[in-house]
Coordinates of all heavy atoms in Angstrom, one line a residue:
S24 N 140.9 89.5 125.7 CA 140.6 90.8 125.2 C 141.6 91.3 124.1 O 142.7 90.7 124.0 CB 140.7 91.8 126.4 OG 140.6 93.1 126.0
S25 N 141.2 92.2 123.3 CA 142.0 92.8 122.3 C 142.5 94.2 122.7 O 143.2 94.9 121.9 CB 141.3 92.9 121.0 OG 140.1 93.7 121.1
T26 N 142.2 94.6 123.9 CA 142.5 96.0 124.3 C 143.4 96.1 125.5 O 143.3 95.4 126.5 CB 141.2 96.7 124.7 OG1 140.2 96.7 123.7 CG2 141.4 98.2 125.1
Y27 N 144.5 96.9 125.3 CA 145.5 97.1 126.3 C 145.0 98.3 127.2 O 144.5 99.3 126.7 CB 146.8 97.4 125.8 CG 147.7 96.2 125.4 CD1 147.6 95.7 124.1 CD2 148.5 95.6 126.3 CE1 148.4 94.6 123.8 CE2 149.2 94.5 126.0 CZ 149.2 94.0 124.7 OH 150.0 92.9 124.4
S28 N 145.3 98.3 128.5 CA 145.0 99.4 129.4 C 146.3 99.7 130.1 O 147.1 98.8 130.5 CB 143.9 99.0 130.4 OG 142.7 98.7 129.7
T29 N 146.5 101.0 130.4 CA 147.7 101.5 131.1 C 147.6 101.2 132.6 O 146.6 101.6 133.2 CB 148.0 103.0 130.8 OG1 148.2 103.2 129.4 CG2 149.2 103.5 131.6
V30 N 148.6 100.6 133.1 CA 148.6 100.2 134.5 C 149.4 101.3 135.3 O 148.9 101.7 136.4 CB 149.2 98.8 134.8 CG1 149.3 98.5 136.2 CG2 148.4 97.8 134.0
K31 N 150.5 101.7 134.8 CA 151.3 102.7 135.5 C 152.3 103.2 134.5 O 152.5 102.7 133.4 CB 152.0 102.1 136.7 CG 153.0 101.0 136.4 CD 153.9 100.6 137.6 CE 153.0 100.0 138.7 NZ 153.9 99.5 139.9
T32 N 153.0 104.3 134.9 CA 154.1 104.9 134.1 C 155.4 104.9 134.8 O 155.5 105.2 136.0 CB 153.7 106.4 133.7 OG1 152.5 106.4 133.0 CG2 154.8 107.0 132.9
V33 N 156.4 104.5 134.1 CA 157.8 104.3 134.7 C 158.8 105.2 134.0 O 158.7 105.3 132.7 CB 158.2 102.8 134.7 CG1 159.6 102.6 135.2 CG2 157.2 102.0 135.6
T34 N 159.8 105.7 134.6 CA 160.8 106.5 134.0 C 162.0 105.6 133.7 O 162.5 104.8 134.6 CB 161.3 107.6 134.9 OG1 160.1 108.5 135.1 CG2 162.4 108.5 134.2
S35 N 162.6 105.6 132.5 CA 163.7 104.8 132.1 C 165.0 105.2 132.9 O 165.1 106.4 133.2 CB 163.9 104.8 130.6 OG 164.2 106.2 130.2
S36 N 165.8 104.3 133.2 CA 167.1 104.6 133.9 C 168.1 105.2 133.1 O 167.9 105.5 131.9 CB 167.6 103.3 134.5 OG 168.2 102.5 133.4
S37 N 169.3 105.5 133.6 CA 170.4 106.1 132.9 C 170.8 105.3 131.7 O 171.4 105.8 130.8 CB 171.5 106.4 133.8 OG 172.0 105.2 134.4
T38 N 170.5 104.0 131.7 CA 170.9 103.1 130.6 C 169.7 102.8 129.7 O 169.8 102.0 128.8 CB 171.5 101.8 131.1 OG1 170.5 101.1 132.0 CG2 172.7 102.1 131.9
G39 N 168.5 103.4 130.0 CA 167.3 103.1 129.3 C 166.5 101.9 129.9 O 165.5 101.5 129.3
A40 N 167.0 101.3 131.0 CA 166.3 100.1 131.6 C 165.0 100.5 132.2 O 164.8 101.6 132.7 CB 167.2 99.5 132.6
L41 N 164.1 99.5 132.2 CA 162.8 99.7 132.8 C 162.5 98.5 133.8 O 162.8 97.4 133.5 CB 161.7 99.7 131.7 CG 161.8 100.8 130.7 CD1 160.9 100.5 129.4 CD2 161.3 102.1 131.2
K42 N 161.9 98.9 134.9 CA 161.6 97.8 135.9 C 160.5 98.3 136.8 O 160.5 99.4 137.3 CB 162.8 97.4 136.7 CG 162.6 96.3 137.7 CD 163.9 95.9 138.4 CE 163.7 94.7 139.3 NZ 164.9 94.3 140.0
T43 N 159.5 97.4 137.1 CA 158.5 97.7 138.1 C 157.8 96.4 138.5 O 158.1 95.4 137.9 CB 157.4 98.7 137.5 OG1 156.6 99.1 138.5 CG2 156.6 98.0 136.4
T44 N 157.0 96.5 139.5 CA 156.3 95.3 140.0 C 154.8 95.6 140.0 O 154.3 96.7 140.2 CB 156.7 94.9 141.4 OG1 156.5 96.0 142.3 CG2 158.2 94.5 141.4
V45 N 154.0 94.5 139.8 CA 152.6 94.6 139.8 C 152.0 93.3 140.5 O 152.8 92.3 140.7 CB 152.0 94.7 138.4 CG1 152.3 96.0 137.8 CG2 152.5 93.5 137.5
T46 N 150.8 93.3 140.8 CA 150.1 92.1 141.4 C 149.5 91.3 140.3 O 148.7 91.9 139.4 CB 149.1 92.5 142.4 OG1 149.7 93.2 143.5 CG2 148.4 91.2 143.0
A47 N 149.8 90.0 140.2 CA 149.2 89.1 139.2 C 147.8 88.7 139.5 O 147.6 88.1 140.6 CB 150.1 87.9 139.0
N48 N 146.9 89.1 138.7 CA 145.4 88.8 139.0 C 144.8 88.0 137.9 O 143.8 87.3 138.2 CB 144.7 90.1 139.1 CG 145.0 90.8 140.4 OD1 145.1 90.2 141.5 ND2 145.2 92.1 140.4
A49 N 145.3 88.0 136.7 CA 144.7 87.3 135.6 C 145.7 87.0 134.5 O 146.7 87.7 134.3 CB 143.5 88.1 135.0
D50 N 145.4 85.9 133.7 CA 146.2 85.6 132.5 C 146.2 86.8 131.6 O 145.1 87.4 131.4 CB 145.6 84.4 131.8 CG 145.7 83.1 132.6 OD1 146.4 83.1 133.6 OD2 145.1 82.1 132.2

């Protein structure tokens, strides 16, 4: 596909770091 879809929104940490988990379903 050529289209991105939003999965979730995360808030950056005090250092700007980002981290989350998702379930892998497709390449």
Side-chain angles (χ1 to χ4, degrees):
S24 172
S25 60
T26 303
Y27 276 94
S28 299
T29 298
V30 176
K31 62 171 67 175
T32 299
V33 174
T34 301
S35 60
S36 74
S37 60
T38 61
L41 299 163
K42 184 177 181 179
T43 191
T44 58
V45 293
T46 300
N48 290 316
D50 295 349

